[in-house]
Structures are given as structure tokens and as C-alpha cells.
Amino acid sequence: MFGSSLAWWLARGGWDVTLVDQFEPGDARATSGGESRLIRCGHGDDALYTASAWRARTLWRELEAECGAELLVECGLAWFAHDDDGWERASARALGAAAIPYERLEPAAAARRFPSLAVDDLAFVLFEPHAGVLRAQAAVRALVAQAVAHGARLMRARARPDGARALLGDGTPLEADRVVWACGGWLATLFG
């Protein structure tokens, strides 16, 4: 997700981009290769993550407009607060400070909204109406397709660090002004 997102962002900004992937984009073995990922803005009192998640929502919508596919499904997300002064309250403060929509539902209101929810042990429910799921595999494929549409090159190969450059599995060196490694779970095997 990080590599394909960066490739899309840079390619549409006019950068010369080469994206190297050892598998097909969105492959099930990749960190972002599954069907879906949770998208939410609640991150406790972390204002940076809260704002970053909200900005990501805007960018997902931009990508959807470019590629014509629905990638982000906003179905809402409910956080169950068992006390009134915990992580959920900190999240509500951060959401409010960033002007991100949310609802604080008292237990009775939460029970009316979600009839199957037992609320006897809850202080409140924090509801994020714009949270939901990202279709991860489809999103990665859309990011790569749009990066290529904006001029990026996609190479299917394995790469490893070789000083300030990347060395492909067949020994071909790739040199660039900047090399970004966005390799998920393989990062430790490449860099220790």
C-alpha cells in the first residue's frame, strides 16, 4: 500500500517513477494484499494520526474518481467505551479538535441504534460515521494502474539494497535520485 500510494502520488506530480514489485500488485502474499483493511480516524489523543487518517479519506476519494471504482466503503465504526475517561474519550476529543464527524452515543441511544448491542457495561459508544473498510487488494491495483497511467514504470522483479541503489534479482542495478523501500514484512530481511 505504501509503495503503490507513493508511486501514484509522485507519478501524478510529474516525477519519473519506477515501481518494482516481486509479485503482481495486490498479491495475497503482500502486506496489503487481502480483501479489506479498517479505515478509521479514532487514534486516541494522537492528533497526527487522526488528521492523517482523515486526509487519507480525501485521497482515497480522489483515487476513486480517477479509476472509477469504489474502494472505500464508509459503513461506520462503533467503539465501545467501558469507562468515561479512556481511549475512546481521548479519540472523541481529537476528532472534535480536527472537525471530523463523530457521535457520542449514551448507552440507551446506542441500544436504539444497534438493537442487538448489550450496553449494560458501557459508559458510551463512540461512533465514526465515515469510518469503514478499504478494499485493500483492489486499492493497491488501482494505485498501481493510476501510477502507470501517469507515467510510472512497473517492473516485476525482486530487489535488494546495494548501497544507495537497488539491485534487481538478475543483477541489473537501478539508480535514482531517491530510492524508497516500502516492502512491508520483508523489510527486516533486507535491512536486518
Side-chain angles (χ1 to χ4, degrees):
M1 188 67 68
F2 290 105
S4 57
S5 295
L6 184 59
W8 172 64
W9 181 262
L10 293 175
R12 74 183 194 154
W15 288 67
D16 182 21
V17 175
T18 300
L19 181 62
V20 179
D21 198 329
Q22 67 177 328
F23 307 118
E24 290 295 321
D27 186 273
R29 291 167 285 192
T31 306
S32 300
E35 175 60 30
S36 63
R37 296 295 183 276
L38 181 65
I39 297 291
R40 69 209 173 58
C41 294
H43 289 279
D45 61 3
D46 194 321
L48 178 63
Y49 270 96
T50 297
S52 178
W54 190 248
R55 174 70 177 134
R57 177 185 178 269
T58 300
L59 293 171
W60 288 123
R61 293 301 186 209
E62 286 179 21
L63 178 64
E64 286 176 326
E66 268 190 36
C67 72
E70 182 187 39
L71 302 171
L72 178 60
V73 179
E74 291 183 347
C75 54
L77 177 101
W79 298 101
F80 304 144
H82 292 280
D83 62 67
D84 197 40
D85 197 28
W87 184 91
E88 296 83 5
R89 183 170 179 188
S91 292
R93 283 192 304 264
L95 292 167
I100 298 171
Y102 75 92
E103 295 177 56
R104 179 191 164 110
L105 302 172
E106 297 308 319
R112 284 190 299 277
R113 170 88 56 93
F114 307 107
S116 63
L117 177 64
V119 296
D120 54 320
D121 63 339
L122 298 179
F124 68 96
V125 171
L126 175 64
F127 183 68
E128 287 189 58
H130 294 288
V133 294
L134 177 71
R135 294 187 167 122
Q137 185 177 60
V140 169
R141 290 178 177 163
L143 285 164
V144 171
Q146 290 310 118
V148 169
H150 288 289
R153 288 176 307 284
L154 173 62
M155 298 180 72
R156 182 150 179 216
R158 290 188 71 149
R160 64 179 169 83
D162 184 44
R165 65 186 186 173
L167 194 60
L168 299 183
D170 67 0
T172 303
L174 289 181
E175 297 192 36
D177 293 331
R178 304 283 187 276
V179 176
V180 176
W181 295 92
C183 43
W186 290 278
L187 189 66
T189 61
L190 289 173
F191 292 97

